[in-house]
Amino acid sequence: MKITSIIPAIFFTLLLISGCDEPTVPHQRGYLRIDLPKHTYKLFDPANCPFSFEMSTMADAIPDTNGLAEKCWWYIDYPKLNGKIYISYKQVSRDINKFTEDARTLVYKHTQRANAINENLISNEYHASGILYDIGGDAASSIQFYMTDSTKHFLRGALYFNSVPNSDSLAPLIKFIHEDVEHMLATLQWK
């Protein structure tokens, strides 16, 4: 046997042996990194609606034209984030307790998928107060809230993404929009 034919055989054998040091391990699936812009806001003051607030410049306000929608129901749409805050307004005539209990019931419908529901009492300098709900886990809605003056006005909102609810992958978006919601509620004024 010639040496020139032995050298490639030895090289191939060494290559096979050296490639077997570590076992092959599957990697976890990762999520894309999302670079979010700095928070900036614009006034949302819909005509013929008794409220206004500052909303993200990343979002668009779209009237709810669903057949069940009432006057002054809106979507605060985040097209680049594939999410919407559904806003509904009700005029209070007598029983504010019905509206607050309905809002609470809608939040607690998420208990099967939520691992936590935190209620945060909020109020602002414009005589609006309410509850901001942070819903943890893989629930369909991770943020819900309501604000009222207890006598005339009631505003409810809920954040939904147009995707399968996965709290790990949506966490940066939820955190980003949470800050926008806090600003929205801090600037909410009744007309």
Side-chain angles (χ1 to χ4, degrees):
M1 192 185 231
K2 292 183 179 181
I3 292 182
T4 56
S5 63
I6 293 174
I7 293 175
I10 293 171
F11 178 73
F12 183 70
T13 304
L14 289 174
L15 185 63
L16 285 175
I17 293 170
S18 67
C20 297
D21 291 342
E22 295 181 28
T24 303
V25 178
H27 293 280
Q28 277 187 309
R29 186 175 6 166
Y31 300 106
L32 295 174
R33 178 180 165 172
I34 300 171
D35 291 322
L36 297 167
K38 185 178 178 182
H39 293 276
T40 54
Y41 300 99
K42 62 187 174 187
L43 181 64
F44 174 58
D45 188 4
N48 302 318
C49 291
F51 60 85
S52 67
F53 53 78
E54 290 183 8
M55 60 180 259
S56 173
T57 56
M58 255 186 97
D60 301 313
I62 302 168
D64 186 344
T65 57
N66 178 339
L68 300 174
E70 297 178 18
K71 179 184 173 195
C72 298
W73 286 20
W74 292 85
Y75 302 118
I76 306 301
D77 184 29
Y78 286 80
K80 292 181 180 175
L81 304 182
N82 205 20
K84 290 180 183 172
I85 301 172
Y86 294 78
I87 302 287
S88 57
Y89 172 81
K90 294 273 193 182
Q91 186 172 355
V92 175
S93 58
R94 289 185 209 145
D95 194 7
I96 187 68
N97 292 332
K98 179 187 180 331
F99 294 137
T100 58
E101 193 53 39
D102 287 347
R104 181 178 167 78
T105 299
L106 289 169
V107 168
Y108 281 90
K109 282 187 175 188
H110 295 280
T111 54
Q112 288 186 341
R113 298 293 308 254
N115 60 21
I117 298 177
N118 297 318
E119 299 181 12
N120 303 299
L121 297 173
I122 51 174
S123 62
N124 69 23
E125 62 183 282
Y126 305 109
H127 307 292
S129 60
I131 297 178
L132 173 59
Y133 297 94
D134 293 313
I135 305 168
D138 293 336
S141 176
S142 51
I143 300 171
Q144 295 198 23
F145 60 86
Y146 73 81
M147 295 289 277
T148 184
D149 66 352
S150 300
T151 57
K152 294 181 183 176
H153 308 287
F154 185 86
L155 185 83
R156 183 183 174 283
L159 169 65
Y160 288 91
F161 288 97
N162 189 24
S163 66
V164 174
N166 182 331
S167 59
D168 289 339
S169 63
L170 292 175
L173 304 180
I174 293 168
K175 182 179 178 184
F176 182 83
I177 294 177
H178 194 282
E179 191 171 325
D180 288 347
V181 168
E182 287 177 339
H183 185 85
M184 176 191 310
L185 302 179
T187 59
L188 173 68
Q189 295 184 52
W190 309 116
K191 298 181 200 173

